Structures are given as C-alpha cells and as structure tokens.
Amino acid sequence: MSGRARIAIAAGATVVSLGVLGLAWFITGSRAVREESARVERGAIDIVREAAAERAATLAARLDALRRTEARRSYLDYTSHDEDSADCACGPGSGSPLAEGPADPLIWAHFEIDEYGRVRLPTAVVSEAGRNAPNDQTEREIREQIECAALDRFAGSNRGPVAIELARGAFPPTIVTVGALTWRTARFEDEPALVALREVATADATMAQGFVVRRAALESLVAGSRWPATVRDGTPEAVTEAQVTLDGDPWTVALDPKAEIDDARAAGAGLVRRFRRTFAAGLLCAAIAGLLIVGLVAQSERLARDRGRFAAAAAHELRTPLTGLRLYGEMLADGTGDPARAKEYAGRLAGEAERLGRV
C-alpha cells in the first residue's frame, strides 16, 4: 500500500471518527440542555401557578364567606321602598338593614327582580364611590344597568330551597321558600360582573333576589403579588391562571408573569448558547487534533520515503568503491594485470579505500 493511500485512510478515519463523536455529543448535549432550559422555564411557571392558586383560594374563601353571610339574610331585607310613598314619615326602605346601602365593601348593590322582570332596590343609595349618596339619578342608573344585564334569566337556576320563612303580617301565615345563593355572571356595560342570585317563592309570586359584587373590590383582593393580577369570568386558559372555586359560574384569577417568564426563557437561551459555544470550541479542538494526527501520519510517511532514498543513495555510494576494490584486488591476486602496473593498482586500491571511508 502506497504512502498516499495510507494518508488518505488516516484522514478518512479521522473525519469519520470526529463526525460520529461530534454528532453524538451534539445530539445528547442538545437534548440535555433543552431539558434543562425547559426545567428552568417550568420552575418559573410553577411559582406563578402556585401564586395564582393561592390568590384564587383567598378570593374563593372571601366570596364564600360573603355568600354564607348573605344567605342568612331574610327575603324581606330586599323589600324596596315604594316610590309613591316618598312622603311617608318612615322614609324609604324603612326597617330594612339594607336601607343605608351595602355594609360589605365587596357588594355594589342589592336588588330584587319580580315576576314581571322589574328591578327594585332596597335602598335608593348606592354608588361606586361610596355608600349613602342620596342621588335618585344614581338609583335609576343602577336599576337600568341591572335590567340591561337580563338577570331575570337566572331566576330559578339555583339548587332548590334551603330555607323556609313565614311571611310577616300575613294571616294565616304564608310559607315563603328561599333558594340558595348561587354565583352567576352578568355583563354590565360590556364588562363581566359577579352576581349572587337566589329564588324566592311566595304564595303569590316567584322572584329573584341577590347582589352584585364590585369588580374593583375583586381586583383589590388579588392585588399585591409580584405580578399584575386580574380577575375575569370563565375557566383558566393558561398555566399561569387558576380557577376560583365558586358555587356557580366559573371565574379565574390570571397573573401576568411576562417579565419572570422572559427572564427564565432568557436563562434557558443562555444555556443553549453556552452549550453551542462549548460544542464549537470542542469540535474545533478535535479537528485540530485530527489534523495533527493526519500530519503525523504524513510526516512518518515522508520520513519513510527519506529513509528509503537515503538507503538507496548510500548503497550506490558504497557499491562503486567496493567494485573498484574487488576489481583491483582480484587483478593483483590473480596476476591478470600488467605486472609493471602493480604499483598503480595498489594506488587505485588505496584511493577506493579512502573513498569508501568517506562514504
């Protein structure tokens, strides 16, 4: 096998070895770094998910406590004042604990919907800015918003009676069935609102009673986390959202961890870039080592050729004086030459011996 063939084989074996090892390193390393990058991102998302679940649980507990408190309220507390009796000395909503407006800051307004779909308020005083703002226009606006929300379609949607009361002032006493308060979603001016509704059935009519929760109050309950938080209707649509466990329509707490997720993704991308730089540097070093190996093989082949040429040249240089020595030695030994030239033959032998010594 020629030297060039051996060099070609060494170069091919080096390239194949580097390719196979480099490909295996890249595949396994890329998989590992992708898994590590995903783990970093999942860790950040898990933190946000836990925070969202904690906020949702806090909100659910607060709303459930509010629902239980309001569920104990008598249906008569929702009785509105009669606009025709405005001159009555007892005043609007006399006798109702709701006459002065909602006591709980979560509640925007209490209301009652009769069998004809008409909305009545137990008080003429409810505003977003605060309680007890005596403004008839405010009452009309609230009534109109509740009517536009079509809350009557929720009447009769609760889970059946949970309490039975006796109608006051009726003789003989009349049984009134009060249903459970159930959370429902309505839209006020194109914005979703959380509403608690129950059905009240008397001997004469069936009506719906309930209250509307302030959207701003819901937002304040989930505020204060490391990330911007919002409350919306519906079920969770992302991993950073958590459902508020309610007895009724679903609501969701959504956190916006964009900065946190971006940092985690940037960290993951940094891991990928670092691996690629390491891989490129390692591949370059391996390529240099492969070139050195091929160079060593080529050098060894060159040295072998030089040794061969040197041996051939040395053999030639030795063969010439040895031939002369043998020739003149045989002439002197056999006496085949001119005896008169014996001295000349001896000089030739000395010259060839000297030349052999130089070689």
Side-chain angles (χ1 to χ4, degrees):
M1 184 182 296
S2 65
R4 290 184 178 179
R6 284 192 291 269
I7 294 175
I9 292 174
T14 302
V15 171
V16 171
S17 300
L18 289 178
V20 171
L21 294 176
L23 182 61
W25 181 21
F26 183 79
I27 292 174
T28 56
S30 296
R31 183 185 299 113
V33 77
R34 282 197 303 270
E35 291 176 353
E36 179 64 18
S37 177
R39 188 191 64 79
V40 171
E41 185 173 347
R42 283 196 306 271
I45 292 176
D46 288 342
I47 294 175
V48 180
R49 183 190 293 115
E50 292 175 1
E54 180 182 353
R55 297 287 169 178
T58 301
L59 181 58
R62 177 69 173 88
L63 290 174
D64 189 61
L66 176 63
R67 186 180 65 86
R68 290 197 305 269
T69 300
E70 292 295 323
R72 293 191 293 268
R73 188 180 298 281
S74 172
Y75 80 100
L76 292 174
D77 292 351
Y78 288 85
T79 303
S80 71
H81 69 283
D82 188 353
E83 294 181 359
D84 295 333
S85 62
D87 296 332
C88 178
C90 59
S94 176
S96 171
L98 301 177
E100 298 299 322
D104 195 299
L106 274 180
I107 299 177
W108 177 53
H110 291 85
F111 62 87
E112 181 180 78
I113 305 173
D114 63 15
E115 65 272 22
Y116 301 107
R118 294 174 300 190
V119 177
R120 295 189 293 266
L121 303 181
T123 173
V125 186
V126 185
S127 67
E128 185 67 24
R131 300 171 56 212
N132 295 336
N135 189 328
D136 292 339
Q137 182 64 30
T138 302
E139 180 188 10
R140 286 194 297 270
E141 290 176 355
I142 293 173
R143 186 183 293 113
E144 289 173 358
Q145 289 189 43
I146 295 176
E147 289 175 349
C148 292
L151 292 175
D152 55 331
R153 70 184 178 91
F154 297 119
S157 60
N158 52 52
R159 297 184 178 180
V162 295
I164 295 178
E165 299 185 26
L166 295 179
R168 301 176 202 170
F171 187 82
T174 303
I175 295 178
V176 179
T177 303
V178 181
L181 276 173
T182 306
W183 294 110
R184 292 290 180 261
T185 301
R187 301 196 73 83
F188 290 83
E189 298 180 345
D190 294 330
E191 289 293 331
L194 190 59
V195 180
L197 277 174
R198 70 181 181 184
E199 183 180 288
V200 177
T202 66
D204 300 326
T206 299
M207 52 194 164
Q209 295 179 342
F211 58 88
V212 184
V213 177
R214 295 176 186 268
R215 180 65 179 272
L218 289 179
E219 300 285 352
S220 66
L221 286 176
V222 298
S225 62
R226 293 166 52 186
W227 310 277
T230 57
V231 181
R232 63 169 181 81
D233 61 320
T235 56
E237 299 175 354
V239 294
T240 57
E241 299 179 354
Q243 183 167 338
V244 183
T245 305
L246 298 176
D247 185 12
D249 292 344
W251 276 66
T252 294
V253 172
L255 300 184
D256 182 15
K258 185 177 184 303
E260 193 92 4
I261 300 301
D262 288 345
D263 290 344
R265 288 174 178 169
L271 292 175
V272 174
R273 288 194 300 270
R274 188 155 51 249
F275 166 74
R276 289 177 178 174
R277 287 196 298 266
T278 303
F279 174 77
L283 192 62
L284 178 62
C285 293
I288 292 174
L291 290 176
L292 291 176
I293 292 173
V294 174
L296 289 174
V297 173
Q299 178 72 8
S300 64
E301 292 295 328
R302 186 183 65 80
L303 291 176
R305 289 194 301 270
D306 289 345
R307 284 195 298 269
R309 286 195 296 268
F310 173 77
H316 175 72
E317 292 296 329
L318 290 171
R319 190 180 298 114
T320 302
L322 285 175
T323 302
L325 287 173
R326 186 173 64 178
L327 175 63
Y328 291 112
E330 288 177 351
M331 290 175 62
L332 291 175
D334 297 339
T336 56
D338 187 358
R341 300 180 62 183
K343 186 177 180 180
E344 180 183 350
Y345 295 157
R348 293 285 182 88
L349 286 173
E352 294 298 334
E354 183 180 357
R355 181 180 176 184
L356 184 61
R358 288 197 302 273
V359 172

